[in-house]
Amino acid sequence: MEEEKRLEENELNKDDFIEQICKYGYFSEQIPECFNTNAFIEKLNDLLEITHTNDTKIITQCTDLSIYKDDLSRRIISLPNPKSFLRLVKYMYEHFDEIKKFAYSENSLSPINRFSDYNVDMKNFLNIENLKDDNIIKSDFIENIRTNIKISLGYKYCLKLDIANCYNSIYTHSISWAVCGKEDSKKYLIIVNQNKKKNKNKNKNKVEITLPEDVMKKCKICDNLDKYIRELNFNETSGIITGPFTSRIFSEIILSGIDTELDNKGFVFKRYVDDYRFYFKTKLDAENSLSSIITILRKYKFNINESKTDILEYPFNMLSDLKAKFKNAMEENGIFEVLNTANILYDAGEKGAYKYALKIIKDKDVIIDFDVILPTLINIMTVNYRYGKYILPFLEKNIDKLDKNEFSEIINSELSNAIKKGYQQELLMFLSFIKKLKLRITSDNLINVLKNGDDFSIIIALDIIKNCKNLIDFGTNCIIKVYREVVKLKKNLKSENYDGARWLLIYEIQRHKLISRFNIKINDEFFNKMNNLNISFYEE
């Protein structure tokens, strides 16, 4: 019964839909927890009163962050403007039942009613790093593998592929194609345009093209979803933003439509988000079917990631028992052995080993080996800096064992390197370490953050300047240089507005008075309301 209750709490349902999405699906997990929607959620009802889903057009831009993808490339995650985001979420709530049907696919292992494994990199759906806790390990993850094993009965080969740059490749108008079909979608647009002309001229002939009422209703819902999802992204039709859960819902609708076409072709397959596994009797069947699969995907302007396309020969769909291995490691030699086991497993191809290990140790007290554990943790961060989010709670728990001066030097060196290379995620993570662990920061690094940092990092830097001057290593005349840079920033932001890409920075500066006498008039009903309700997305 207890497990069933936990599972229910992870279910996306209509009654709590808006609160759930705003709580779990607004900020990406790549962004430090000092940025959150706690205050926003408390005042949701007040904000919903002035949030209207109607024909008025709102065009906004996102605050972006460049994050690590691999050693050669980066990806962009986005924080949408809260005004247009809440508008989209409210519309999804109003049409929740229809959207749930649109997004349903028997072939999908990533239904939209499950949000507990969201905000992770959408990689191989058999990868344990997609899991958030033991509850999910017992439910979704193992159940997905069991499902794949069942449908692979009698099939010796598995064609594994995924969509290249899925979110960036989505053509937003294709949502209607996926739900209603391309032909009916075109007819719907003709009918809408003819009705507009007819309303302007009462003597116009009646519209000759017609569609069934249920098809018209579905097309209208998709048309509005298309409009609201574009409003988050400066009205772009090419690509949707990565970060909020609303993008996952939107993409799942399109991918479910593609599933129907693949299913009608007779393919045996399962999909987790944009990762597919097709099953075949022979290797030749798998090879010959690839062109047909690609043709269907290209109808929706998708391409496959050729470097990740592979044909696997049985056995596949295997599950290694990471939980047991880490449990044994902890019992044998504590935290160091857990991290050492994670190194071994990661090297053997278990890409989720580090995340799982770090979540195991984050609340543990170190008894021995801290001098070995610390460099191990730092090296794990160099593999992928998003692991810093899981390392930070561990360091906070063991702050008494940390040589703050020595660690401050390490963090400042890494922070300086991140600024030079333009690595925004790394810069933000190191600043969150400084903020949370109260480490010292050099004035040069502060100046360079204000000059070249992303808006999330600039907010933390301004917070440090205002509230934690004792953490700043001021050299000769450096305090003057720091404040000169603040003045330059203030001047540069004067031309910004609350629909632009820097909405978060200018709002939080005013909300927390991070720059003295900074005042950009809020000519926006929604942001005025947030300001009057004392809503902030950042904790000083």
Side-chain angles (χ1 to χ4, degrees), residues 219-258:
C219 285
K220 184 176 182 179
I221 292 172
C222 290
D223 197 36
N224 282 326
L225 284 172
D226 174 14
K227 179 179 74 173
Y228 294 138
I229 204 81
R230 283 186 283 114
E231 287 182 353
L232 303 184
N233 194 27
F234 208 49
N235 209 33
E236 288 285 341
T237 59
S238 179
I240 62 174
I241 63 175
T242 301
F245 191 75
T246 48
S247 293
R248 165 75 175 274
I249 294 173
F250 193 88
S251 66
E252 191 69 21
I253 293 173
I254 295 172
L255 293 168
S256 292
I258 294 173

